[in-house]
Amino acid sequence: MTVRICEVPLSSTTGDQPDDSVPVPRHGTSSVVSGGTAGAIVQAREVSGGLHFHQAPAPPGAPRGTVPRQLPADIRRFVNRTRELERLDGALLGADPAPLAVVVGTAGVGKTALALRWAYRAEAAFPDGQLYVNLRGYDPGAPVTADDALDRFLRALDVPPGEIPADLEARAALYRTRLADRRVLVVLDNATQVSQVRTLLPGSRTCRTVVTSRDRLEGLLARDSAYRMTLDVLPEDEAVRLISTLVADYRTRDDPNDIAQLAELCARLPLALCIAAERAASRPWLPLDQLIQNLRDEPGALWEALSAESGDEQDDVRTVFAWSYRAMPKETARMFRLLGLHPGPEFGVQVAAELAAVPVPEARQLLDSIVGMHMVEQIAPDRYQFHDLLRAYATDAAHHEEPLTRQYEAVTRALAWYLHTVRAAGNALRESGESPPPTALPAPASATSFGDRTSAAHWFDLEWPNLRAAIRSAEKCGLHGATWQLALASRPGIRQRGVSAADRHAVLASARDAAREDRELARRARDTERAAQAQRAEGEALVNLGSTYTHEWRMDEASAAYAEALALFHEIADPAGERMARTSLGVALALRRRFAAAAEQFEDLVAVHRREGARRKEAVALSNLAECYDALGRHDEATARARRSLALNRETGQRGPEIVSLVYLGRSLAHAGPPGSEEGTRDASALGAALREIATAVEVARSLDNKRLEGWALLDLGEIQCRAGRFEDALVSYQRATVIHTAQDMRGRLGQSLCGTGEAYLGLGRPGDAVAFHRRAVALARTGGSPWQLAVALDRLAGAVEASGEDGSAATDWWREAAEALTVYGDPEAAALRARIERRL
């Protein structure tokens, strides 16, 4: 009897539920997918050794996809720092190069400018590209995490967003794999902690890293062989030269002594020097000594304490900021300080227009003026960012000069723009249907619309850090409705764009809590309509939270979330919500192999959807039911449900669910066979039909470039190929599945791939290779998740060890452990496997 191990999830029935129409892993490990491509597939006849299934590096000269060029624009009119540039040359490109250099120094001293100038100067040494991230360690807002930085880097290295691992270690491993044998420069700007940096260091000796920080980052020197350069303020002659260079086209008669005085007033810090020089250049008719007197008279009392840093240099920088800010025209100054209320440090022209309540063309003009004064940096067409010091200054200016009501109005205008734009992006990302318009905040005139999925996906990838910050901002402002509407409107992007598990949990928990608060406030105000809307939102957030728990095999928490959601939906008589929660509960039951109870849920859901004419939802419920019937041994009924599901999916154009239906149809055909036949002795024609259906599923997944579903379907394809005695073909299927699931960090499915590979090798008469793969499958199964998968892996390992002639006592121990693991299950397949193991014992 052949034991079926390709247990996979049941699909959802609603477009608003997480992972719409995509299997949820029954093995209980994370299925939020990850990075890499499932590259070269070898023919089984060419496989030898069989211990290392991974994608081989491309041969020299082979195309590697897009070369990342992430460096911000080079600093114009960069002067001085010649000695420092030469020291970096020697440290990173010399005869005995260090793997990384750490440039440290006070705020505004020019660390970023030096790092970027050296990066451009050394561009030829890194033909495979440059990666850059501003870690924002000193920004008033939240710093960029290693998770987020790796996500950006992997995307730049051609990893599709949906294939980026959720787990930090897996992301880092894939990142190092992608950089292996490449010559890439990595620039990590504004780091605060060693832990923030170390995860982002390439493992390759051919790569180099430059880190900038205000802290010494001692750990990088001791453990990572870093070269550290402390950047001091400019010497007087270089500071004078910088000002002279910047004003040369506008002022020609300034006294060198006056320029030296101006440099000293700026503490010889490049950031302050550039701002002061710009002001001098913009007033060529005003004597420089008068500008110097104005700077000396500036009280600088607006900004009290930026951070833990203090001292004359910081005070001088603040004074220069205030001096330049006071010189701005009224509307320009207003735009500058209101930008300090934006949730994130980077922003586009449209949201800037909303903050200031001005038309977009006027906002663009105001921003151009601020950029010209070096108070904001333009980083792309219509996109800008603050230096962390200047953002803190702008925020403080807004708090001091804008009444609280105006600050609140500006923030809510920005939040409204994000709310309505992310809703439009989510609608473009959906396969069908639209979410209702948000009600918490009025729609702004400049909210972006999207004509296709590609533009919506690009916008979501670009704005996700700001969306996350906007949700936190709405939460802090007590805007409960805006909080949950922002969070739930982000769900299509969160599901499809590889958002980290930590972010998913945080955003959905915020939605749940905000909806709960909104519901209670509405009840106190006797606003029944708003209370019902908030209660439904709380239920949806709980269902989505339950899905994240399910992917992590936190099944008790998942079931509790689904049950709470069901009660909330029932209380407000929301049948659609109840069906959403019941579907999720059915999935949770099936994940625990309680197939009879799950089948009852799906039978009822099929009837309801059929009665209401909801053919898409009926199709998905039918495929869920087919899976349950197949697991219960009701193979003919499973085949009928899968065929009906397939027909409905094709009629309604649901390609993803079509793949699921094809796999369940193939699986049930393989298990059915002639009446009275035993497991493992199926009629050859039935196996042939099963192979055709699942091969079609694989092809559809490839046509959609859906690696997640392709890898899942390949597990079933390989298993049925083994049953048909086509072990070499099975080895090819499992090899590709292994590559995909390794790249995706889907450990449960990777364990199934390895286990199937072992069975293919055993069928080829190579038990030694089979043992090696089964050992790896057992090791993965022990890391957590489903007792079922551990039991299957132990059984397969014991059988392979026995076939290889190794120590039989070890096999006995593994069978005993497998039998014990199976006691928690009562389904027919688990009972049959346990009975067979007990007979062996």
Side-chain angles (χ1 to χ4, degrees), residues 51 60 117-118 227 281 299-300 403 450 577 629 649 721 723 730 735 742 763:
L51 298 182
R117 171 48 60 98
W118 184 85
Y227 169 80
F450 303 93
Y629 281 168
N649 279 322
Q721 286 167 335
R723 291 182 182 180
Q735 190 265 354
T742 298

Side-chain angles (χ1 to χ4, degrees), residues 189-462:
D189 205 6
N190 291 310
T192 54
Q193 298 176 347
V194 170
S195 59
Q196 195 180 23
V197 170
R198 187 164 282 139
T199 309
L200 305 177
L201 297 178
S204 172
R205 295 182 180 180
T206 57
C207 294
R208 298 289 181 271
T209 305
V210 177
V211 180
T212 72
S213 180
R214 297 182 201 171
D215 298 287
R216 294 174 64 82
L217 303 182
E218 298 282 1
L220 293 178
L221 276 69
R223 178 173 159 184
D224 300 284
S225 304
Y227 169 80
R228 184 173 65 208
M229 174 189 293
T230 301
L231 200 61
D232 203 352
V233 298
L234 289 171
E236 180 179 324
D237 60 333
E238 294 190 359
V240 168
R241 183 182 165 207
L242 176 58
I243 293 177
S244 300
T245 300
L246 293 174
V247 304
D249 293 339
Y250 307 94
R251 309 177 66 95
T252 57
R253 298 181 180 179
D254 291 325
D255 187 326
N257 290 328
D258 288 340
I259 297 176
Q261 286 185 54
L262 181 60
E264 287 301 320
L265 286 171
C266 295
R268 290 184 271 123
L269 288 165
L271 176 62
L273 290 167
C274 289
I275 292 173
E278 180 60 39
R279 181 152 181 210
S282 66
R283 292 161 177 76
W285 60 87
L286 193 66
L288 193 59
D289 60 354
Q290 182 61 56
L291 286 170
I292 291 170
Q293 188 58 49
N294 292 345
L295 179 55
R296 284 187 171 132
D297 292 342
E298 175 59 51
L302 177 65
W303 193 12
E304 293 180 356
L306 170 66
S307 64
E309 295 187 76
S310 61
D312 294 341
E313 291 172 352
Q314 294 302 309
D315 291 338
D316 289 338
V317 171
R318 296 166 194 157
T319 301
V320 172
F321 288 172
W323 181 57
S324 188
Y325 171 67
R326 299 298 185 199
M328 289 181 180
K330 180 180 178 182
E331 288 305 311
T332 306
R334 176 176 175 271
M335 170 65 87
F336 174 78
R337 63 178 176 265
L338 290 179
L339 289 172
L341 302 176
H342 182 263
E346 184 181 307
F347 50 88
V349 67
Q350 289 174 311
V351 73
E354 291 300 326
L355 274 165
V358 298
V360 170
E362 183 179 342
R364 189 178 287 110
Q365 291 175 357
L366 293 171
L367 285 165
D368 286 345
S369 298
I370 299 170
V371 168
M373 301 175 76
H374 294 280
M375 300 290 274
V376 162
E377 179 187 2
Q378 185 166 6
I379 56 176
D382 284 346
R383 198 153 187 89
Y384 308 83
Q385 72 175 4
F386 270 117
H387 186 287
D388 51 12
L389 294 175
L390 285 161
R391 184 183 178 203
Y393 186 85
T395 303
D396 195 79
H399 290 337
H400 279 78
E401 298 184 34
E402 294 287 341
L404 282 175
T405 53
R406 290 184 185 170
Q407 292 182 53
Y408 178 83
E409 289 166 359
V411 170
T412 54
R413 287 195 298 268
L415 294 178
W417 185 85
Y418 281 113
L419 174 59
H420 288 269
T421 305
V422 75
R423 183 252 178 179
N427 287 339
L429 288 170
R430 283 187 171 88
E431 280 194 10
S432 61
E434 290 190 354
S435 64
T439 57
L441 296 170
S446 66
T448 302
S449 59
F450 303 93
D452 53 54
R453 292 171 59 89
T454 301
S455 60
H458 174 75
W459 181 88
F460 187 89
D461 292 345
L462 185 67

Side-chain angles (χ1 to χ4, degrees), residues 415-603:
L415 294 178
W417 185 85
Y418 281 113
L419 174 59
H420 288 269
T421 305
V422 75
R423 183 252 178 179
N427 287 339
L429 288 170
R430 283 187 171 88
E431 280 194 10
S432 61
E434 290 190 354
S435 64
T439 57
L441 296 170
S446 66
T448 302
S449 59
F450 303 93
D452 53 54
R453 292 171 59 89
T454 301
S455 60
H458 174 75
W459 181 88
F460 187 89
D461 292 345
L462 185 67
E463 294 288 357
W464 171 241
N466 285 331
L467 286 168
R468 189 177 51 195
I471 292 166
R472 287 196 296 262
S473 179
E475 206 169 14
K476 287 171 63 178
C477 291
L479 296 169
H480 305 303
T483 300
W484 66 254
Q485 289 186 22
L486 266 166
L488 295 184
S490 300
R491 284 176 302 175
I494 289 173
R495 288 199 301 268
Q496 296 180 33
R497 307 306 299 170
V499 169
S500 71
D503 277 355
R504 288 198 311 275
H505 277 290
V507 166
L508 293 170
S510 293
R512 176 200 60 198
D513 296 343
R516 194 171 288 164
E517 290 288 338
D518 197 25
R519 171 166 56 97
E520 292 307 314
L521 289 172
R523 284 178 174 175
R524 289 177 205 157
R526 301 181 184 278
D527 187 341
T528 55
E529 183 177 351
R530 177 181 149 204
Q533 184 186 33
Q535 186 157 330
R536 175 176 173 78
E538 184 182 353
E540 290 183 11
L542 283 163
V543 168
N544 281 267
L545 266 177
S547 177
T548 65
Y549 294 141
T550 297
H551 289 318
E552 297 165 7
W553 201 249
R554 296 162 61 180
M555 297 306 298
D556 289 339
E557 293 166 275
S559 296
Y562 296 146
E564 186 178 356
L566 182 60
L568 289 169
F569 290 132
H570 182 74
E571 184 180 337
I572 58 173
D574 183 342
E578 287 187 61
R579 289 193 288 274
M580 180 195 304
R582 287 181 59 198
T583 297
S584 298
L585 281 168
V587 170
L589 288 168
L591 285 166
R592 290 178 164 178
R593 301 187 67 82
R594 294 174 57 189
F595 295 112
E600 290 180 7
Q601 293 277 0
F602 295 127
E603 285 168 343

